[in-house]
Amino acid sequence: MTHPARQAPDPRDPAPAPAHDALLPPTLGPRRTFALIAGVETYEVSHRWNLRGPARDALRFARWLTGPGEVPAANVRLLLSPLDDPDRLDWSGPPGLAALRDTYRPATEENAKTVLLDELPQCDGDLLWIFWAGHGYLDGHRQLMLPCADARPGRIRHLNLDSALRWWQTDLVKHRRFPLQAALVDACRVDAPRDTRWNFGSADYGGGATVPGRRQFRLYASREGEAAQNDAERGAGRFTEALLAELGDRSVRDGVTGLPHAARAVHRGFGELRGRGEGWQLPQFIVDRDWDASSFLDDDPPGPVLPRATRLDQTGWDGLGELFEGRELPRRAYEAYAWAFRAAGCTTPVGSGLPADTLLDVAWDLDQRQGGTAGLPLVVPFVQHLADRARRDGDGRPGAGAADPVWAARLAAWVRAARERLDLPALRPPPAPASRGAALHVRLEPPDDGGDGLRARMWLRGEQDRLVWESESAPVGLDAVRTALVRQLALLGADPGEDGGGPSYRGVERIEFQVPFELLETEFDRWPVPRGSAARTRPLGSLYEVSVRCPQEREATTRTEWRGTWRWLCAQDGRHPDTVRVVEDAEVTDTLGLRLGARPAPACVLGHTSAGRTPALLEALLEGGVPVAVWRRGGGAPAVEAPAVEAPAVDAPAVEVSAPPGLPALLAPEAGPGDPAVFALPARVREARRAAAGQQAEGADRLVLLWDDPEDVIDPRPLA
């Protein structure tokens, strides 16, 4: 006898499929299928979070569900926050998809919780689909957090999927409803940022007593710690595209019956892609459960044996042991690590920073990972890159040190021997280091007698350092230094033919001010520089990378911490997740300097401090040996970031023009909330100053950059 609360089987449903069909409710059909479908492309956190593809993936899944699946549009809750005008999305297809065009809602936290915890539990169905495309992060308990469109710095509003799925297994959903639940997530599963400004908080939806027999099927686009790949140009997630190709034109009943088979097929396809070396970090399925609660991959027949790269032999390891003995990580160790993957035809593993603290352990990690199908152990291009940089170091971007030709020759000999012994393919050379333009170094010191004014000297820095100006015996004021600086810039940029034929230095990119502690917040970057017509000037910081440094405060007491932190920063290429730390007023105590100097990390501090606490912050930076810092002159710790003008969040509230963005969002060159790559900071600060040059936002152009490389110093000769 049919239970009175249930509907009769839908006559449109096909005959039961033989495999797994006995596990499905006999009444399962389109009218007893419900779904939450979400695609999030825009986020209030920052326009750098925006990504193209999730909204289209959500519509593709809705097109299958309301088309071949024949699920009524009234059973589907669609949440969309697209980058483009919704009318520009592809709404073509079945009438059900067209109906959703008028009923979709923004993908906010409130809408997601209302749909999943209030509306859908009141429906009477057999099957619940949850499809979500967008960003994804894991919290400290390995729960998957899916940020919503109204996620903001300080409060990342999100859906806790694991907590929601536990809730759906309890008696808060009536016992006889939704015995089958399938969650499909096209999102990354990487660790949530540890920066306090990206605060996810906690979201636990509770629940009642667990209902026996209620089964869940979960498929994720990536394993824990991995990123899901998205094709921004085509607007498609690779996971969604592969899954929908497997679902094809199946009905909803055939689709859910064949879901384990589709999962195996897609899992196998991605595994073959990785085995062919077409990408190291590619979307992967987590091994999950079939409808009978057994692991659906346990009995999967073995696939073809894919070719693997050659591993390093014992002779090679013996040689590396000798080469690496007593060696600290060189300045460009991460650069060499990343190059090894590119040379082998793979992408660098997700996650920033080196996997270990010694060269030998890094090499072991590379050998365990293997590479592409060219038979190339990843250790070999890693050592090749180390040899190249040891031979030519001293040029390139900041972080270069002295060349080591002896070690470079030994490394190169090891590479040649390994290639011959293991019959390896030819290696293309690593790319040359990015060249640095010339810089002006301005050194300001108080006079020996402690009187007013400053002793001032300027050096042109390039392949060699050349003194180009110095004050006379009498101390000078800052106005005189500014006048001399503007004149030197004009002379260095002049055409040789204009002044009788001297060298031309059009490549001046950086201006660094070495100053006493009291002058660290001086507005050097706002000094006016003539530009174009005689009446036009531009701020110095919008034309050049302007930084300050204060090495004289470090040499006597914190030189060891300062140099150790800089070496660690350079070895990690500024990309280790612990490199950057945001410091706010509450953290500026008498012990902050001790805590900053206890470990190499952090090597960069972003100061969100008020004007009254900034001097104490600067003292702590110097005491702790922190070589890089950015803060706002006069203080400033904004709580929110104004959304990008070109792509505002769907339901973003108005933001005051006077509230400048938080420093991590302002300076991070990558999408998402991750820490900025530190060696990109000088250029990013200049871009921020340029962007603020025409704005009236209070404090928007008051950034100060401390860039204090302990191995890039000038030995000043006495004043004339």
Side-chain angles (χ1 to χ4, degrees):
M1 178 176 178
T2 304
H3 193 278
R6 298 191 171 223
Q7 298 169 306
D10 193 325
R12 295 174 296 177
D13 290 340
H20 304 292
D21 197 66
L23 301 171
L24 307 185
T27 56
L28 174 61
R31 289 183 296 173
R32 295 190 57 77
T33 298
F34 292 81
L36 162 64
I37 302 175
V40 194
E41 294 185 342
T42 63
Y43 298 84
E44 288 184 28
V45 169
S46 167
H47 66 277
R48 297 183 182 90
W49 274 50
N50 295 347
L51 67 164
R52 189 174 302 279
R56 290 160 178 77
D57 289 339
L59 288 184
R60 289 185 181 104
F61 189 80
R63 184 177 290 111
W64 170 76
L65 202 61
T66 59
E70 299 184 337
V71 175
N75 291 13
V76 179
R77 307 295 189 269
L78 179 61
L79 305 181
L80 282 183
S81 291
L83 268 173
D84 300 323
D85 185 331
D87 291 336
R88 296 177 59 187
L89 298 175
D90 183 6
W91 294 93
S92 63
L97 184 61
L100 291 175
R101 184 173 186 171
D102 300 324
T103 61
Y104 83 89
R105 287 170 270 183
T108 63
E109 180 189 41
E110 185 62 31
N111 285 340
K113 292 196 300 185
T114 296
V115 167
L116 201 54
L117 304 179
D118 293 332
E119 295 179 11
L120 289 175
Q122 301 305 315
C123 300
D124 185 11
D126 292 323
L127 172 63
L128 171 70
W129 290 96
I130 299 174
F131 178 89
W132 191 287
H135 287 303
Y137 294 97
L138 296 174
D139 68 7
H141 301 288
R142 321 312 296 165
Q143 299 183 112
L144 182 57
M145 302 178 294
L146 302 171
C148 298
D150 53 346
R152 301 175 183 176
R155 185 182 176 188
I156 307 297
R157 293 181 172 91
H158 67 280
L159 176 71
N160 184 332
L161 183 65
D162 288 278
S163 181
L165 291 174
R166 284 195 301 271
W167 189 95
W168 268 85
Q169 287 184 310
T170 70
D171 58 5
L172 294 181
V173 180
K174 291 186 179 180
H175 282 63
R176 296 184 179 274
R177 295 182 182 177
F178 297 104
L180 304 179
Q181 301 159 16
L184 312 174
V185 183
D186 196 345
C188 302
R189 298 174 72 208
V190 297
D191 291 337
R194 285 170 281 186
D195 192 320
T196 55
R197 289 187 52 76
W198 310 111
N199 174 37
F200 282 83
S202 60
D204 189 343
Y205 311 126
T210 300
V211 175
R214 189 168 276 155
R215 300 187 294 277
Q216 289 182 344
F217 189 93
R218 306 187 197 186
L219 290 178
Y220 301 106
S222 58
R223 297 177 181 178
E224 289 187 359
E226 293 186 357
Q229 196 163 343
N230 182 68
D231 189 338
E233 292 185 5
R234 299 172 55 224
R238 298 191 66 174
F239 165 83
T240 300
E241 199 161 69
L243 179 64
L244 290 177
E246 290 296 328
L247 291 175
D249 294 329
R250 298 183 184 185
S251 68
V252 70
R253 189 178 185 98
D254 281 350
V256 72
T257 302
L259 196 53
H261 172 78
R264 283 194 293 267
V266 178
H267 182 278
R268 187 181 301 112
F270 280 128
E272 291 173 355
L273 283 175
R274 187 173 69 168
R276 291 199 298 269
E278 295 181 11
W280 173 249
Q281 293 285 350
L282 285 174
Q284 294 288 305
F285 284 107
I286 184 173
V287 176
D288 218 295
R289 304 293 164 181
D290 203 342
W291 295 120
D292 62 0
S294 299
S295 174
F296 68 78
L297 294 181
D298 281 350
D299 300 323
D300 201 27
V305 177
L306 297 172
R308 295 176 61 82
T310 305
R311 285 186 180 275
L312 196 59
D313 59 5
Q314 188 59 52
T315 302
W317 282 115
D318 292 341
L320 288 184
E322 296 177 4
L323 284 170
F324 293 164
E325 183 178 4
R327 289 269 177 179
E328 295 182 346
L329 289 173
R331 289 172 182 79
R332 287 167 172 160
Y334 179 83
E335 194 178 297
Y337 180 76
W339 164 252
F341 289 91
R342 292 196 294 274
C346 306
T347 57
T348 309
V350 172
S352 300
L354 293 169
D357 296 325
T358 69
L359 279 171
L360 208 57
D361 287 338
V362 172
W364 179 261
D365 174 86
L366 288 168
D367 200 53
Q368 293 300 304
R369 291 182 183 272
Q370 296 290 289
T373 57
L376 180 65
L378 292 172
V379 184
V380 177
F382 172 70
V383 177
Q384 176 206 27
H385 194 286
L386 294 179
D388 179 81
R389 293 303 186 258
R391 174 181 60 83
R392 66 199 302 170
D393 224 343
D395 59 2
R397 61 172 182 82
D404 190 344
V406 174
W407 195 51
R410 293 178 63 199
L411 292 169
W414 182 94
V415 171
R416 287 193 299 271
R419 283 190 54 216
E420 294 173 1
R421 192 174 61 255
L422 301 177
D423 192 24
L424 300 179
L427 298 176
R428 55 176 173 150
S435 61
R436 301 173 66 190
L440 267 181
H441 178 89
V442 183
R443 181 166 179 150
L444 306 177
E445 299 171 290
D448 294 335
D449 60 7
D452 296 332
L454 297 163
R455 302 168 62 200
R457 281 167 285 185
M458 295 183 194
W459 284 265
L460 178 66
R461 312 204 62 190
E463 294 183 3
Q464 294 181 339
D465 297 333
R466 182 168 67 89
L467 183 68
V468 294
W469 177 83
E470 58 184 328
S471 60
E472 301 297 335
S473 56
V476 298
L478 286 178
D479 287 342
V481 176
R482 179 173 63 242
T483 300
L485 175 65
V486 170
R487 174 172 172 76
Q488 288 302 317
L489 290 174
L491 291 174
L492 295 172
D495 186 85
E498 296 177 0
D499 59 0
S504 176
Y505 295 97
R506 295 182 180 276
V508 174
E509 294 180 356
R510 298 169 289 117
I511 301 178
E512 53 189 31
F513 291 85
Q514 182 171 324
V515 298
F517 179 84
E518 296 76 14
L519 295 183
L520 281 177
E521 286 207 287
T522 304
E523 296 183 339
F524 299 117
D525 55 282
R526 304 187 79 183
W527 281 2
V529 178
R531 190 74 168 175
S533 66
R536 168 172 288 182
T537 62
R538 295 294 188 191
L540 186 69
S542 66
L543 302 174
Y544 304 93
E545 296 176 1
V546 176
S547 62
V548 294
R549 56 188 312 182
C550 195
Q552 62 270 28
E553 299 287 344
R554 308 174 189 262
E555 286 288 351
T557 57
T558 59
R559 181 175 181 176
T560 300
E561 293 87 348
W562 179 34
R563 292 179 178 275
T565 297
W566 181 262
R567 285 196 299 267
W568 178 85
L569 169 69
C570 294
Q572 299 285 349
D573 201 37
R575 299 177 184 275
H576 192 280
D578 294 334
T579 300
V580 181
R581 175 175 170 182
V582 175
V583 174
E584 301 179 347
D585 274 0
E587 300 173 84
V588 183
T589 65
D590 289 341
T591 62
L592 177 60
L594 293 175
R595 288 185 278 117
L596 291 176
R599 304 172 53 242
C604 172
V605 165
L606 305 183
H608 277 196
T609 51
S610 60
R613 301 305 296 159
T614 298
L617 170 67
L618 302 185
E619 290 180 359
L621 296 178
L622 299 180
E623 180 186 1
V626 177
V628 179
V630 182
W631 68 94
R632 278 195 171 85
R633 186 182 301 111
V640 296
E641 177 188 5
V645 175
E646 68 275 13
V650 174
D651 55 347
V655 178
E656 295 293 333
V657 175
S658 60
L663 293 180
L666 182 67
L667 301 176
E670 298 90 5
D675 296 327
V678 173
F679 286 105
L681 281 181
R684 290 294 301 164
V685 169
R686 180 178 60 183
E687 290 305 313
R689 288 167 173 162
R690 285 177 175 174
Q695 300 176 0
Q696 302 301 318
E698 181 64 26
D701 60 344
R702 294 183 177 271
L703 296 178
V704 185
L705 170 64
L706 173 71
W707 191 271
D708 223 344
D709 177 354
E711 299 177 1
D712 186 24
V713 295
I714 287 180
D715 184 17
R717 65 181 180 85
L719 285 171

